Every structure is written in structure tokens, then in C-alpha cells.
Amino acid sequence: MKRLINIFFNDNIKSLEAFIKTKELFEKRGFEVSETFKEEAELSICIGGDGAFLRGVHNSDFPKVPFVGINTGTLGFFQEISFDKIEKFIDDYIDGKYIVEKIRLLECTLKTNDIIFSNKCLNDFVIKSNSSEIIHLDVYIDDNHLETFAGDGLIISTPSGSTAYNMSAGGSIMYPTLRGFQLTPLAPIFSKVYRTISNSLVIPDTSTLKIVPLENQHKKISFVADGIEKDYTDVSYFEFKKSRFKLYKLVFNENWYWINMKDKFL
């Protein structure tokens, strides 16, 4: 049987060009290429920016098949391979010149009056008001009440997601292999009535973070998982903890994270 590769790509010209080139080069080396996820594949390639990478991961339901990204977007923090290095990437892949990085995921259990279900994220979860009004949230860590938050919302980010929305909101950058996650406030209110921690808070991944909305039970709350937004009413709580699942990502340069950090942000 031929070795199988999954390739997902954005709906733009540059991504299509990268897909055609990558597909052609892999097929010349004896591989079979699928444009949809197949769990028997040995690798999944996401072509585009970080959004394409996140969509590919979510649409595949965080499989054990490793991922790698080819960047045709703007930032592309997950996308290590540039368009002009596709041939070298394929040669290095076939020669085994890479390491497999295990990225820890974060899981959220959401309970309403009617349902209870879990979501996983690679980057972050966000809780915010569905309207322009402030949101009130009780925050607990390991069943210890930390604060009653009032403001625009809260970001709960993984180490790998710390350079995304979290960083834009003033959160800290965490190296992807660090064991923990981060709670970052969005426009918190400070007054005689409300007191909240204004900085991001790093929580060990052995802990559980629970957030209880204090709003009218029928008021809509927006819940965002890696940019995928849905509205819920009658929310009882959100509970966040380390997921037992991991994402497997190929890395071809062991210094890639720091190179990427300087290239993208400095």
C-alpha cells in the first residue's frame, strides 16, 4: 500500500498553489494524498495561516496523526514550513529529520440546565457577554473562590495559545511545553464594588478552574473555543482542566519557537 498523507488548505490562490505543489511532489515520491481526513494517514498537512491549522485540528477531532503547517497566511505561528521550502520539507520528512512535539490540550466541561458536554482547545477558550454589557463571573481554583470578576470577559489559554489572543490582552507568553494554563482578564472593572486580579494568572495543570456566571439565567453568554463561537443560555458553570488528549506536531528545527518569536513579533 502507498503511504498516505492528508492535506487541508485554505480557499485562496496561494494556498491552492501550495497544495498543488505539495501534492505533486509527494505523489512523485510514491505517496497517496487525501484532501479529507483519513485516520490511517501518517501525516496531516495544514496549508494557510493559524486559522487553517486550528480548523484542520478541530475538523479531525484532535487525532493521533501528527500535524505540520505550511504557511501561506500572515502570522502563521503554528506554520513552520514556508512556501519556498516545500521541497526541502518533503526531503527532510522522508529522511526522518524531525522531532515530534507533544502539545498539551485544555478541556472545558460546560453545563447548562439542559446539557453537559466537553470541548477541547489547542489555543484558548473565551467567555464573554453576548451583548455590550459587562459580564459577572465567580472564579474558583480547586474549589477555592478566587474572585468575582466583572468586565468584558476572561481568556483561558494553553501555553501554545499564549501568543494569540492572550498576548494581545496583556497576558504572559508561556513556552509550549510548560505544564499549566493561563487566566487573563478582558477589560476588568475596578471600583469600590469590584476587585479582580488585573494580571494574567498562570495555573498549574494539576488544578481545576471553575467559572460560574452570575448573570440572569436566560441571558446569552458567548463561549469561544479556538475562534469557534457559540451562544448559550442557562449556563450553570464552565470547568477547565488539562485534557488527556495531546496534539502531535512535527518540528524540523529545534530552535523554531524562538526563531518564530523573533520573526513574528520583534
Side-chain angles (χ1 to χ4, degrees):
M1 289 180 63
K2 288 185 177 180
R3 298 168 68 181
L4 179 62
I5 302 287
N6 299 320
I7 303 182
F8 318 122
F9 58 98
N10 264 351
D11 187 21
N12 62 53
I13 292 175
K14 191 170 183 181
S15 293
L16 178 59
E17 290 175 356
F19 166 72
I20 292 170
K21 181 177 180 180
T22 305
K23 182 175 185 289
E24 180 180 311
L25 289 170
F26 266 114
E27 288 178 341
K28 281 183 178 179
R29 305 296 289 271
F31 288 80
E32 181 183 346
V33 172
S34 172
E35 296 179 41
T36 58
F37 175 74
K38 292 184 178 179
E39 61 182 11
E40 63 270 26
E42 62 182 70
L43 177 66
S44 289
I45 301 171
C46 296
I47 301 175
D50 283 340
F53 192 91
L54 290 170
R55 282 192 299 275
V57 168
H58 276 267
N59 291 341
S60 306
D61 197 24
F62 300 90
K64 291 184 178 180
V65 179
F67 280 76
V68 72
I70 296 175
N71 188 28
T72 59
T74 50
L75 187 61
F77 205 83
F78 284 113
Q79 313 291 77
E80 182 180 351
I81 312 302
S82 60
F83 183 86
D84 59 341
K85 298 286 175 46
I86 292 175
E87 291 186 39
K88 184 179 186 308
F89 147 62
I90 294 174
D91 288 339
D92 287 346
Y93 176 72
I94 292 172
D95 292 339
K97 295 179 180 178
Y98 59 83
I99 60 174
V100 180
E101 182 177 74
K102 297 177 183 179
I103 301 176
R104 293 177 178 84
L105 305 175
L106 193 61
E107 191 166 308
C108 175
T109 299
L110 188 160
K111 185 181 185 305
T112 72
N113 290 349
D114 302 318
I115 56 173
I116 181 168
F117 65 95
S118 293
N119 278 288
K120 296 184 287 292
C121 83
L122 176 59
N123 263 3
D124 50 44
F125 293 111
V126 183
I127 299 171
K128 59 184 181 178
S129 173
N130 175 259
S131 64
S132 58
E133 299 176 2
I134 64 172
I135 192 169
H136 301 82
L137 303 164
D138 264 343
V139 178
Y140 299 83
I141 298 177
D142 295 332
D143 294 326
N144 299 294
H145 184 262
L146 176 69
E147 64 181 5
T148 298
F149 173 86
D152 284 357
L154 293 169
I155 304 170
I156 303 91
S157 64
T158 66
S160 59
S162 66
T163 51
Y165 193 9
N166 169 75
M167 191 177 76
S168 298
S172 298
I173 295 173
M174 294 177 65
Y175 193 77
T177 56
L178 290 176
R179 296 176 178 272
F181 56 99
Q182 198 166 171
L183 176 68
T184 303
L186 289 171
I189 293 176
F190 294 96
S191 69
K192 290 183 178 180
V193 179
Y194 300 111
R195 289 288 186 272
T196 187
I197 296 175
S198 58
N199 302 94
S200 63
L201 179 66
V202 177
I203 301 168
D205 69 0
T206 53
S207 292
T208 298
L209 169 67
K210 188 173 184 178
I211 296 176
V212 180
L214 300 180
E215 312 297 332
N216 180 299
Q217 284 292 298
H218 299 294
K219 185 175 181 179
K220 285 185 178 180
I221 294 176
S222 288
F223 178 63
V224 188
D226 282 342
I228 303 167
E229 184 170 353
K230 294 183 180 180
D231 294 335
Y232 297 94
T233 55
D234 304 317
V235 177
S236 300
Y237 63 78
F238 303 89
E239 191 172 82
F240 303 88
K241 61 183 179 180
K242 175 183 68 177
S243 174
R244 63 184 178 87
F245 293 91
K246 293 181 177 68
L247 179 75
Y248 300 88
K249 180 179 176 294
L250 300 193
V251 176
F252 290 84
N253 184 337
E254 62 181 7
N255 297 311
W256 171 77
Y257 184 82
W258 302 117
I259 294 168
N260 209 23
M261 183 74 66
K262 180 177 175 63
D263 181 55
K264 304 300 182 184
F265 297 130
L266 298 175

